[in-house]
Amino acid sequence: QPENPYMTMTQEQIDKLLDGSEESNAEMARLEKEFNYAPVVSELDGIRVKIPAYITPLEFDGSSMSKEFLLVPYVGACMHVPPPPANQIVHAQSNSAIKIPAMQEAVWAIGTIRAETIKSELAESGYRMDIDKVIPYQP
């Protein structure tokens, strides 16, 4: 699994990476190629899990409720910084809308995980999760 370079970059370095220059585009292409090799663990398919994560909503209607969102490993992933590798993103769906917490608040997501690639406007996820419950994170 590739290391996530964004975790050690300053905001200035991230801004430079996203400035649209030829140099930054080449670096983004290199990182994307590296991140595309993001194998999932197929043995997890169909298992009920409880994972800690941050929520990135996929519905932007101004509501704080959502049935579809991404579970990501760090604050602001896919919104304020480029997305992590696909195998670190879970595309989550719930039968009923859940209240989306503040971006910096971690949650426990409980449900059944699937090793299934899903592309959304924000990122490609290596897993899908049928959400049973989302609760505030507590160690």
Side-chain angles (χ1 to χ4, degrees), residues 95-114:
N95 287 331
S96 56
I98 65 145
K99 182 168 177 38
I100 302 295
M103 186 182 302
Q104 69 277 7
E105 293 179 31
V107 299
W108 283 109
I110 303 165
T112 303
I113 198 159
R114 302 284 176 194

Side-chain angles (χ1 to χ4, degrees), residues 55-81:
I55 291 179
T56 298
L58 289 172
E59 300 165 348
F60 296 101
D61 61 2
S63 167
S64 62
M65 305 293 286
S66 182
K67 289 183 175 184
E68 188 174 13
F69 45 90
L70 299 178
L71 299 170
V72 295
Y74 51 87
V75 174
C78 306
M79 294 180 72
H80 300 298
V81 296

Side-chain angles (χ1 to χ4, degrees), residues 114-134:
R114 302 284 176 194
E116 179 180 322
T117 299
I118 297 181
K119 292 184 180 187
S120 67
E121 288 182 29
L122 294 180
E124 180 176 314
S125 58
Y127 297 95
R128 179 179 63 81
M129 186 172 181
D130 298 320
I131 296 289
D132 294 329
K133 186 192 296 188
V134 173

Side-chain angles (χ1 to χ4, degrees), residues 1-79:
Q1 172 170 312
E3 291 293 317
N4 186 345
Y6 307 114
M7 296 303 291
T8 57
M9 293 173 84
T10 66
Q11 188 60 49
E12 184 179 327
Q13 290 170 317
I14 291 170
D15 291 344
K16 182 174 176 11
L17 185 64
L18 301 175
D19 69 10
S21 69
E22 197 172 305
E23 182 183 323
S24 67
N25 290 341
E27 180 63 7
M28 282 298 289
R30 185 190 71 75
L31 289 171
E32 190 172 305
K33 183 178 179 184
E34 187 177 309
F35 274 13
N36 282 341
Y37 178 71
V40 298
V41 179
S42 58
E43 292 82 8
L44 292 175
D45 193 74
I47 294 179
R48 192 165 193 280
V49 296
K50 176 182 177 184
I51 59 173
Y54 294 93
I55 291 179
T56 298
L58 289 172
E59 300 165 348
F60 296 101
D61 61 2
S63 167
S64 62
M65 305 293 286
S66 182
K67 289 183 175 184
E68 188 174 13
F69 45 90
L70 299 178
L71 299 170
V72 295
Y74 51 87
V75 174
C78 306
M79 294 180 72

